Amino acid sequence: WYHDSAAVLLEGRTVIAAAEEERFTRRKHSGKFPIHAIRYCLGEGGLRMDDVDIVAFGEEGGIGEHRDPLISREAIAGILAHE
């Protein structure tokens, strides 16, 4: 989640739901963890995190105006475990 963080829910190759985090936070180009977008996608699919087989992400933190230096695999696992 470098900037314009988002979430998408796929079933096979079919997009079930997708949303950018800024839609919920009203912060353009948000680089924060897309928890609101994830919740939206899960809700649209009628799912919980326990129903999800694979979680993929394309950023592991770093420096820069829109990056979140607290991002790590462990942090992501901890956040998603509570969903």
Side-chain angles (χ1 to χ4, degrees):
W1 59 89
Y2 168 54
H3 70 298
D4 292 333
S5 63
V8 62
L9 176 64
L10 301 171
E11 183 173 343
R13 294 182 179 189
T14 303
V15 175
I16 305 300
E20 286 190 350
E21 188 67 3
E22 70 180 34
R23 174 179 178 204
F24 305 97
T25 64
R26 302 292 187 230
R27 179 166 185 246
K28 295 297 278 178
H29 307 300
S30 174
K32 298 300 180 185
F33 188 77
I35 193 66
H36 298 94
I38 290 169
R39 288 178 180 149
Y40 168 80
C41 289
L42 290 173
E44 288 296 297
L47 302 172
R48 297 185 353 239
M49 277 308 302
D50 291 343
D51 301 316
V52 176
D53 294 325
I54 298 170
V55 175
F57 61 98
E59 190 64 40
E60 290 191 35
I63 60 173
E65 180 182 356
H66 299 290
R67 289 188 180 193
D68 186 341
L70 302 177
I71 297 168
S72 69
R73 291 177 190 273
E74 294 78 20
I76 292 168
I79 292 167
L80 295 179
H82 296 295
E83 288 305 306

